[in-house]
Amino acid sequence: MTTKNKGTAAFVSLAALVALSACSTTGARTADTAAESGVPAASGEERSIVNVVKLSGGDWFNRMQVGNEEYAEEHGIKVTQTAGDDASEEKQIAIINDLIAQKPSAMTIIPNSPESLENVIQRAKQAGIVIVTGEAAGMNGVDADIEAFVNQDYGAHQLDQLATCMGDAGGQYAHFVGSLTVKSHNEWADGATEHLKDYPNITSIGERVSSDESQETAYQRTKEILARYPDIKGFIGSASTDVAGIGRAIQEAGKQDQTCVVGTSTPAIVGTLIDDGSVDVITGWDPALQGKAMLAAAEIILDGGSIADGADLGVPGYEKVSQDKESPTTFYGNAWIDITKETTKDYSF
């Protein structure tokens, strides 16, 4: 097998800008303009926002909680975070239903399945609760959806990282997603698949591999793939635990020098697997900053304002968000990052 090009993986700092498409509406943060939702402004003392995430625990959403706490302290509001003990759609719906009765000022939500939440979000909106989502571009019925970047562009970027690592020889790769219903993960995979036309030496093994948002499942399915495709050269992971599970299987098989592993995660989750090349490039964004950006968007709307193309949410990577041409409530930041063995020290999550 061809030894991978470990030393050539590109690093992009948090401040690096992604070229996003401009939209026809122009404007900026406009907290003095009446919002279409008609939500009255609320004082900081009365304001409470609940962040509903996919799954309780885990370094990714624990990091988002850090952002919540920092934002709450900086802005004098109450922010809490909640989630189910697994990533089921039913538990997330039940949590949101319970919160509607509690009537927080707003909810920021990372949906497990955007389509499954449409009805319960409609009920929340009818109760006067502002709804801001993330990782759900094009989400229907929300006040705003705040994305770290354009999902398809991010997926193409992940494939670029994999191709750089694999080198000219190329080969087959497997693409993991948290589930076949997680919109963001599958849009990333779509972006990678579309980008394959630029890499004729790289091919997919076929169907996407669902990890069920579980590191153990990713590990077991990687072992199965290694047995079925002994010459496989690459893996891309989508859920934050995917590359940790994949990397563990690669390490046990002693294939660090024959395979390339790229995917969305954090240094805390991947741990020492990046040190010996079991994992090569961690891609992603800082969930603390995305959490802050969602909270900032919710506050703009609660203050009677609106978000427009070019708005500054006051959060690094989200200083000039771009509005989606097809979904006017969806906005993209410029916030992806790449982390390699040499740069893990720069990221504390």
Side-chain angles (χ1 to χ4, degrees):
M1 299 181 184
T2 302
T3 300
K4 62 189 176 184
N5 301 330
K6 290 186 182 178
T8 59
F11 170 70
V12 183
S13 71
L14 180 61
L17 296 181
V18 182
L20 300 177
S21 57
C23 303
S24 58
T25 305
T26 58
R29 178 172 176 154
T30 54
D32 57 347
T33 304
E36 291 183 5
S37 63
V39 177
S43 72
E45 293 179 359
E46 300 170 340
R47 184 166 294 170
S48 65
I49 302 178
V50 182
N51 184 33
V52 183
V53 298
K54 293 180 179 180
L55 182 67
S56 62
D59 291 301
W60 186 265
F61 291 119
N62 286 345
R63 174 66 179 174
M64 186 169 281
Q65 174 67 15
V66 170
N68 294 342
E69 293 169 356
E70 291 177 353
Y71 187 94
E73 183 175 355
E74 293 164 1
H75 294 263
I77 64 172
K78 179 181 178 181
V79 181
T80 56
Q81 181 167 298
T82 187
D85 57 7
D86 63 46
S88 72
E89 302 165 13
E90 294 78 12
K91 287 185 180 179
Q92 196 170 49
I93 291 168
I95 287 168
I96 296 170
N97 265 324
D98 289 343
L99 288 170
I100 291 171
Q102 299 173 32
K103 295 187 176 179
S105 306
M107 292 186 216
T108 55
I109 303 172
I110 306 292
N112 284 312
S113 170
E115 293 79 9
S116 73
L117 296 188
E118 288 182 3
N119 289 337
V120 71
I121 283 176
Q122 183 179 14
R123 290 195 291 274
K125 293 268 291 172
Q126 289 170 346
I129 301 169
V130 166
I131 301 294
V132 175
T133 53
E135 297 185 39
M139 180 82 188
N140 294 322
V142 299
D143 291 285
D145 177 83
I146 306 300
E147 301 293 315
F149 37 67
V150 177
N151 282 335
Q152 288 82 356
D153 290 351
Y154 176 66
H157 173 72
Q158 288 185 313
L159 188 68
D160 285 337
Q161 293 295 305
L162 187 71
T164 298
C165 179
M166 290 169 72
D168 294 338
Q172 284 186 301
Y173 82 102
H175 206 129
F176 280 61
V177 292
S179 82
L180 298 179
T181 63
V182 176
K183 182 178 176 66
S184 57
H185 294 184
N186 285 279
E187 288 181 342
W188 302 342
D190 289 342
T193 299
E194 173 64 21
H195 199 32
L196 281 172
K197 66 180 185 295
D198 297 318
Y199 294 104
N201 60 337
I202 299 176
T203 58
S204 169
I205 64 169
E207 294 183 0
R208 292 163 194 176
V209 183
S210 174
S211 67
D212 301 327
E213 304 267 355
S214 165
Q215 183 176 146
E216 181 64 22
T217 301
Y219 164 70
Q220 294 294 345
R221 290 181 178 164
T222 302
K223 290 175 64 176
E224 294 168 5
I225 290 169
L226 290 172
R228 186 175 179 184
Y229 302 93
D231 294 331
I232 193 167
K233 297 297 196 302
F235 293 83
I236 296 178
S238 300
S240 62
T241 51
D242 282 353
V243 292
I246 294 166
R248 177 183 159 201
I250 295 297
Q251 188 177 66
E252 287 184 2
K255 289 181 173 289
Q256 297 96 320
D257 292 334
Q258 289 81 44
T259 58
C260 293
V261 179
V262 174
T264 305
S265 194
T266 71
I269 294 173
V270 171
T272 59
L273 290 168
I274 201 166
D275 295 334
D276 69 351
S278 299
V279 173
D280 294 277
V281 184
I282 302 168
T283 62
W285 64 102
D286 188 340
L289 295 179
Q290 186 184 21
K292 286 185 177 184
M294 293 165 63
L295 292 169
E299 283 224 280
I300 290 171
I301 296 163
L302 286 167
D303 287 338
S306 61
I307 303 169
D309 186 63
D312 180 1
L313 300 184
V315 178
Y318 302 87
E319 298 96 338
K320 189 177 181 181
V321 296
S322 297
Q323 188 177 37
D324 191 290
K325 293 179 180 179
E326 304 298 328
S327 175
T329 57
T330 298
F331 297 88
Y332 303 102
N334 304 285
W336 74 45
I337 56 176
D338 296 325
I339 305 171
T340 63
K341 174 183 176 180
E342 292 74 25
T343 59
T344 53
K345 64 183 181 299
D346 298 326
Y347 299 91
S348 59
F349 60 95

